């Protein structure tokens, strides 16, 4: 994911895929216009890359010129097409190909086409690298299309968002900002249960470090055996082991709309490592949402869970109290890390499960 100005974009078409669309366009035009000595008229600013690549694939004589037009502000059409300076070529009795980077509603191209018809060309052809057929609503026939795309705002390969992104060799499509949330709270606060509900509700990927460790332990991996020795004593697994594992988990779902981190980070060092990991992917933590639950309620809940979960660390009250006190000593201070960035949101974690989900949702909606 990349950020351009205030919006987020994700990869959409690779440079190779764009080249294939150019080849497609060039093939059709070569087939139709050999011997016509056409004038390729690029519509600025967006079409400069298309024109450069397309004309290099045109194997016959041709001329090249440009015209400036604008109908977009930000990510939507203004509905008004403004045209720039007049033409510097004589179009009369010539075969003219208007070259667009992208045709959306078709307003720009049809306004231009009407205007250029007044110059009495022999033929006026329309070529666009990309067309959004779902929103194209003009009578005018588009003669050549490199590739149809869905109705999403794209940027790159000449196309811009607020004048940025034109230089990108690939095409990117607008996307929501990733919702990456740290779900926080002492052992027994209900993070796992709530994370399962919230991940479905918000379409997020839930990464529970505890679950990943238990999976590794069950399968006797090297990492699992190492982690087990710490977990059984109610201690934390060392940062480097946890971070390595987490990175692998995040990379398993590159298309995720966001992650709920549950059981991670637990220390400032881990939080910094997580920030670096997310920054390398063009995203960040939106907030830490913490379930606040009284100690005695936690002990009671964990003893209850230990009866059927079979988790060694839930069965014994001494171990439970140790885990809670490790949490307050080592983990709870992490709250300050996020609070300092105005990213801490506390939620009352006592009550009916549905009510707690509602309270958490209220915070999730804000992020
Ligand atoms: P139309 O007049 O609605 O067909 O829009 C055509 C012009 O709007 C194009 O030449 C672009 O300048 C701009 N445009 C339309 N869709 C996009 C997009 O997805 N990304 C960037 N610019 C676009």
């Amino acid at each position: 994911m990349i950020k351009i100005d205030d919006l987020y974009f994700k990869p959409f078409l690779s440079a190779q895929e764009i080249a294939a669309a150019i080849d497609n366009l060039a093939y059709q035009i070569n087939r139709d216009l050999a011997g016509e000595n056409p004038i390729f008229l690029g519509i600025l600013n967006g079409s400069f890359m298309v024109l450069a690549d397309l004309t290099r694939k045109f194997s016959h004589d041709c001329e090249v010129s440009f015209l400036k037009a604008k109908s977009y502000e930000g990510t939507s059409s203004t509905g008004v097409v403004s045209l720039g300076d007049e033409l510097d070529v004589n179009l009369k009795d010539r075969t003219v190909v208007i070259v667009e980077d992208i045709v959306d509603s078709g307003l720009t191209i049809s306004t231009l086409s009407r205007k250029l018809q007044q110059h009495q060309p022999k033929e006026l052809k329309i070529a666009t690298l990309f067309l959004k057929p779902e929103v194209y609503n003009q009578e005018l026939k588009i003669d050549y299309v490199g590739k149809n795309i869905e109705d999403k705002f794209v940027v790159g390969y000449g196309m811009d968002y607020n004048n940025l992104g034109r230089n990108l060799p690939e095409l990117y499509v607008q996307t929501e900002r990733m919702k990456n949330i740290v779900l926080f709270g002492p052992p027994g606060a209900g993070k796992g249960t709530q994370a399962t509900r919230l991940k479905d509700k918000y379409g997020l990927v839930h990464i529970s470090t505890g679950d990943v460790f238990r999976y590794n332990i069950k399968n006797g991996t090297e990492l699992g055996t190492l982690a087990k020795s710490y977990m059984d004593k109610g201690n934390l697994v060392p940062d480097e082991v946890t971070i390595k594992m987490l990175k692998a988990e995040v990379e398993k779902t590159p298309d995720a709309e966001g992650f709920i981190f549950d059981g991670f980070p637990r220390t400032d060092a881990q939080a910094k490592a997580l920030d670096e990991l997310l920054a390398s992917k063009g995203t960040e933590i939106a907030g830490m949402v913490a379930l606040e639950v009284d100690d005695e309620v936690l002990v009671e809940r964990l003893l209850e869970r230990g009866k059927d979960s079979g988790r060694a660390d839930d069965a014994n009250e001494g171990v439970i109290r140790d885990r809670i006190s490790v949490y307050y000593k080592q983990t709870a201070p992490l709250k300050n890390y996020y609070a300092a960035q105005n990213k801490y949101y506390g939620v009352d974690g006592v009550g009916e499960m549905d009510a707690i989900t509602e309270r958490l949702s209220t915070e999730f909606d804000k992020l």
Side-chain angles (χ1 to χ4, degrees), residues 43-47 69-72 74-75 77 81 100-110 132 136 149 152-156 159-161 166:
I43 308 307
L44 291 176
N45 293 339
S47 72
K70 187 172 164 67
S71 71
Y72 250 64
T75 62
S77 175
V81 181
E100 266 283 27
D101 46 346
I102 189 160
V103 171
D104 180 287
S105 68
L107 182 72
T108 309
I109 199 72
S110 59
K132 299 179 186 170
Y136 182 72
I149 61 168
K152 297 246 172 84
F153 187 77
V154 294
V155 78
M159 284 162 271
D160 72 308
Y161 170 58
R166 294 194 196 273

Side-chain angles (χ1 to χ4, degrees), residues 122-324:
K122 176 180 161 198
E123 251 191 317
L124 188 62
K125 299 276 194 185
I126 317 286
T128 184
L129 181 58
F130 299 113
L131 173 70
K132 299 179 186 170
E134 289 160 41
V135 283
Y136 182 72
N137 60 14
Q138 304 287 321
E139 297 277 299
L140 181 73
K141 175 172 172 260
I142 309 283
D143 301 280
Y144 309 111
V145 177
K147 188 176 173 61
N148 285 324
I149 61 168
E150 56 196 306
D151 178 25
K152 297 246 172 84
F153 187 77
V154 294
V155 78
Y157 195 74
M159 284 162 271
D160 72 308
Y161 170 58
N162 286 349
N163 289 317
L164 295 171
R166 294 194 196 273
N167 57 320
L168 296 165
E170 310 86 16
L171 211 63
Y172 287 78
V173 64
Q174 194 193 343
T175 183
E176 289 299 308
R177 169 182 189 237
M178 268 175 107
K179 228 189 229 297
N180 298 312
I181 295 170
V182 175
L183 194 58
F184 199 59
K191 295 190 298 287
T193 314
Q194 294 295 343
T196 308
R197 293 170 160 221
L198 293 162
K199 79 167 183 184
D200 293 338
K201 183 165 176 184
Y202 291 92
L204 305 174
V205 175
H206 174 204
I207 298 187
S208 155
T209 19
D211 284 350
V212 179
F213 278 131
R214 280 187 287 278
Y215 172 85
N216 279 280
I217 291 168
K218 198 166 150 223
N219 291 286
T221 65
E222 197 182 322
L223 178 73
T225 313
L226 183 62
K228 187 176 182 337
S229 61
Y230 294 90
M231 288 168 85
D232 278 353
K233 294 187 206 111
N235 287 330
L236 296 176
V237 177
D239 283 354
E240 67 203 70
V241 181
T242 314
I243 289 163
K244 222 167 153 186
M245 179 201 71
L246 190 93
K247 185 166 184 279
E249 281 300 307
V250 167
E251 285 169 358
K252 272 187 199 166
T253 46
D255 292 338
E257 286 173 20
F259 294 95
I260 299 178
F261 296 103
D262 157 14
F264 184 95
R266 296 198 190 218
T267 61
D268 277 14
Q270 288 184 356
K272 284 197 190 93
L274 181 61
D275 282 350
E276 280 164 24
L277 172 64
L278 295 179
S280 75
K281 308 203 174 294
T283 182
E284 63 189 351
I285 289 293
M288 165 185 268
V289 180
L291 285 164
E292 293 164 347
V293 182
D294 189 69
D295 283 7
E296 294 314 306
V297 178
L298 294 175
V299 174
E300 207 179 296
R301 281 190 191 169
L302 288 172
L303 283 171
E304 200 55 38
R305 182 169 83 181
K307 282 184 194 158
D308 18 73
S309 75
R311 276 176 57 170
D313 57 349
D314 281 351
N316 171 313
E317 184 167 339
V319 173
I320 290 174
R321 289 200 186 270
D322 280 350
R323 284 168 62 202
I324 296 175

